């Protein structure tokens, strides 16, 4: 059990989820937190990661750092998505083990599930059929991460838990049009289309200065601004979005995800996840003096046939509710106060048609979401406006 003085390293603490987890821990009185920006610590650098662990010796690790993006980025940078994420995971998990970290929480994604998985998706549908092609590399990296956690637990008796959040949104979301996810991209496009129609070029300049689009910032000519925005489907009082608008998506407020993550970190152990009482009584190759033998574990599934096959130990984190991309656009239109046209370009890919997760395991472990999508979209737009001040 982690006490209030435990040193907790949050990898990716400036990101959407990492920052929310950091704040959630602070609110609960956990103040001995460690974070490093990407500039301070490149998690793909094995030597640097080892040096960091040597110096800080954390008691627990939250691995919320990842190389992420939407459909376009996933399609363009396939090699980067698998290689960068694998490096980050291998470096952090291996050093956490080498330095005796008591608890590790790995954050994945529900894109780990097959494209045509039965809905809602239970944890057990992992690796049962092919993945969605557009984000295959990212999904494979995340599957490898959760399998690392599972395998270390089974071989070494560690306590590493993997959580798989659904689509997240919230404070500190990424609104850069080149590589953002569906909701922030949609929100920014609709907001800019409204500003163009209203002739509020000063606000457009502020927006582009804050988040330039392909190098075009607020000081660019009006012609250049219009040209670059049209490339991303942003026109005077009109927005063109990718796909048909019919795919169903589930969304979880990032601060809810953080609360779920911290709940799991503080209250859920590997034995709770696999639901096998006798697993906790298995001695992990304990030596005569009671110390754990890190080279051997009697807890290996293969070593104890009575336990059977232990897999799919990860936990889905979501709301268990869904809406179409078109319905999402209507909520965004309402939040922004947009009175123009939203069109869908059916020649562009939809991605997976449905991605609803089963959250019964999470509920059984004592946590349910609080923020509903209607309120969350409004809260996100308010945060976005505040970020431009």
């Amino acid at each position: 059990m982690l006490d209030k003085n435990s040193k907790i390293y949050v990898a990716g603490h400036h990101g959407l989820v990492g920052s929310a987890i950091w704040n959630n821990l602070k609110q609960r009185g956990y103040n001995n937190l460690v974070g490093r920006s990407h500039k301070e610590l490149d998690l793909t650098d094995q030597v640097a990661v080892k040096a960091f662990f040597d110096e800080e010796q954390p008691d627990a690790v939250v691995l919320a750092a990842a190389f992420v993006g939407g459909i376009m980025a996933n399609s363009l940078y396939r090699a980067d998505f698998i290689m960068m994420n694998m490096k980050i995971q291998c470096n952090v998990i291996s050093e956490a083990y080498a330095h005796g970290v008591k608890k590790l929480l790995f954050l994945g994604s529900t894109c780990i599930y097959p494209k045509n998985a039965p809905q809602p998706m239970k944890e057990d549908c992992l690796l049962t059929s092919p993945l969605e092609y557009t984000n295959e590399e990212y999904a494979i990296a995340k599957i490898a991460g959760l399998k690392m956690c599972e395998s270390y637990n089974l071989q070494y008796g560690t306590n590493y838990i993997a959580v798989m959040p659904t689509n997240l949104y919230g404070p500190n979301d990424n609104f850069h049009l080149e590589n953002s996810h569906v909701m922030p991209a949609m929100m920014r496009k609709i907001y800019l289309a409204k500003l163009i129609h209203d002739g509020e070029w000063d606000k457009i300049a502020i927006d582009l200065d804050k988040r330039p689009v392909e190098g075009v910032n607020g000081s660019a000519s009006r012609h250049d601004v219009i040209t670059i925005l049209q490339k991303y489907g942003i026109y005077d009082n009109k927005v063109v979005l990718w796909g048909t608008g019919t795919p169903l998506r589930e969304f979880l407020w990032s601060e809810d995800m953080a609360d779920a993550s911290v709940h799991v970190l503080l209250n859920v152990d590997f034995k709770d996840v696999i639901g096998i009482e006798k697993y906790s009584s298995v001695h992990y190759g304990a030596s005569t003096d009671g110390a754990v033998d890190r080279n051997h574990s009697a807890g290996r599934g293969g070593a104890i046939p009575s336990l059977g096959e232990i897999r799919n130990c990860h936990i889905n984190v979501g709301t268990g509710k869904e809406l179409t991309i078109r319905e999402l656009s209507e909520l965004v239109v309402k939040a922004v106060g947009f009175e123009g046209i939203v069109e869908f370009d059916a020649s562009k890919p939809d991605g997976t048609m449905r991605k609803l997760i089963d959250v019964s395991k999470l509920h059984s472990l004592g946590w349910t979401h609080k923020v509903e999508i209607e309120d969350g979209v409004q809260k996100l737009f308010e945060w976005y406006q505040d970020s431009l001040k």
Side-chain angles (χ1 to χ4, degrees):
M1 181 64 187
L2 298 173
D3 61 36
K4 296 289 173 72
N5 295 317
S6 299
K7 181 183 281 192
I8 303 173
Y9 168 44
V10 182
H13 74 297
H14 286 318
L16 173 64
V17 190
S19 60
I21 288 174
W22 182 284
N23 293 335
N24 190 285
L25 283 164
K26 286 272 191 185
Q27 287 161 12
R28 293 176 187 241
Y30 289 80
N31 292 308
N32 192 7
L33 306 181
V34 181
R36 293 286 189 279
S37 68
H38 177 65
K39 285 183 179 177
E40 293 170 322
L41 175 60
D42 178 359
L43 293 176
T44 66
D45 182 337
Q46 187 175 7
V47 174
V49 174
K50 181 183 183 302
F52 166 78
F53 274 86
D54 286 344
E55 178 188 347
E56 293 293 346
Q57 300 286 335
D59 298 303
V61 170
V62 176
L63 181 43
F67 188 77
V68 298
I71 290 178
M72 187 185 293
N74 274 279
S75 299
L76 291 173
Y77 309 117
R78 299 182 76 89
D80 290 347
F81 271 87
I82 192 164
M83 186 60 77
M84 302 286 275
N85 284 299
M86 288 292 288
K87 282 183 176 180
I88 290 169
Q89 293 161 196
C90 287
N91 291 341
V92 174
I93 293 173
S94 63
E95 291 303 330
Y97 172 67
H99 290 80
V101 164
K102 297 176 196 170
K103 190 82 178 272
L104 182 142
L105 187 75
F106 172 74
L107 276 68
S109 163
T110 52
C111 71
I112 62 169
Y113 293 119
K115 180 174 183 175
N116 298 315
Q119 304 286 321
M121 300 180 290
K122 290 182 177 289
E123 286 87 354
D124 288 343
C125 73
L126 181 68
L127 296 175
T128 54
S129 61
L131 299 163
E132 158 61 40
Y133 181 74
T134 56
N135 63 5
E136 195 173 40
E137 281 71 16
Y138 183 71
I140 288 171
K142 288 299 177 183
I143 292 169
L146 75 87
K147 284 294 181 184
M148 282 180 215
C149 293
E150 191 173 276
S151 301
Y152 268 82
N153 293 343
L154 293 173
Q155 183 172 344
Y156 297 120
T158 50
N159 199 7
Y160 301 168
I161 312 292
V163 289
M164 300 295 128
T166 189
N167 299 293
L168 299 172
Y169 69 105
N172 295 313
D173 217 331
N174 173 16
F175 283 82
H176 288 276
L177 295 180
E178 295 105 306
N179 60 1
S180 58
H181 284 115
V182 59
M183 192 190 298
M186 180 189 291
M187 186 171 283
R188 188 178 181 197
K189 288 176 181 181
I190 289 171
Y191 174 64
L192 287 169
K194 180 180 187 295
L195 293 184
I196 294 172
H197 182 69
D198 294 346
E200 300 208 51
W201 290 95
D202 54 335
K203 289 186 178 179
I204 293 172
I206 291 169
D207 185 282
L208 290 174
D209 276 336
K210 180 76 175 181
R211 300 175 180 89
V213 181
E214 292 187 23
V216 175
N217 60 25
S219 61
S221 70
R222 195 167 294 187
H223 174 268
D224 287 348
V225 168
I226 289 171
T227 300
I228 195 66
L229 293 185
Q230 286 182 354
K231 179 180 175 181
Y232 288 88
I234 304 163
Y235 301 88
D236 180 346
N237 226 28
K238 184 177 89 168
V239 171
V240 180
L241 302 175
W242 277 32
T244 61
T246 56
L248 288 155
R249 287 291 180 270
E250 174 183 16
F251 293 93
L252 179 67
W253 182 246
S254 60
E255 292 173 334
D256 270 357
M257 172 58 195
D259 195 62
S261 299
V262 175
H263 173 80
V264 170
L265 180 71
L266 300 180
N267 302 299
V268 177
D269 293 324
F270 184 59
K271 61 179 171 46
D272 305 319
V273 177
I274 61 177
I276 300 175
E277 289 296 325
K278 59 191 171 182
Y279 184 88
S280 60
S281 66
V282 171
H283 296 288
Y284 289 113
S287 62
T288 52
D289 63 358
V292 170
D293 176 354
R294 290 184 166 272
N295 298 313
H296 257 334
S297 166
R300 286 180 294 182
I304 305 179
S306 61
L307 290 182
E309 292 184 352
I310 296 174
R311 54 159 61 99
N312 303 328
C313 305
H314 56 285
I315 306 166
N316 287 340
V317 183
T319 64
K321 301 178 181 182
E322 62 189 343
L323 77 169
T324 67
I325 296 296
R326 187 178 294 276
E327 287 169 334
L328 174 65
S329 73
E330 290 164 1
L331 290 178
V332 174
V333 161
K334 182 181 176 184
V336 175
F338 183 62
E339 296 178 353
I341 299 165
V342 175
E343 289 182 2
F344 286 87
D345 181 356
S347 70
K348 295 290 194 298
D350 271 325
T352 308
M353 291 307 293
R354 195 178 181 210
K355 278 179 65 176
L356 181 65
I357 55 173
D358 183 302
V359 289
S360 53
K361 184 190 283 190
L362 178 68
H363 289 176
S364 74
L365 294 168
W367 190 89
T368 54
H369 76 283
K370 300 174 186 66
V371 178
E372 300 296 350
I373 186 71
E374 295 80 5
D375 297 326
V377 169
Q378 183 64 47
K379 285 166 64 121
L380 181 63
F381 184 59
E382 288 168 5
W383 181 88
Y384 182 67
Q385 287 183 300
D386 287 343
S387 78
L388 296 171
K389 291 175 182 174

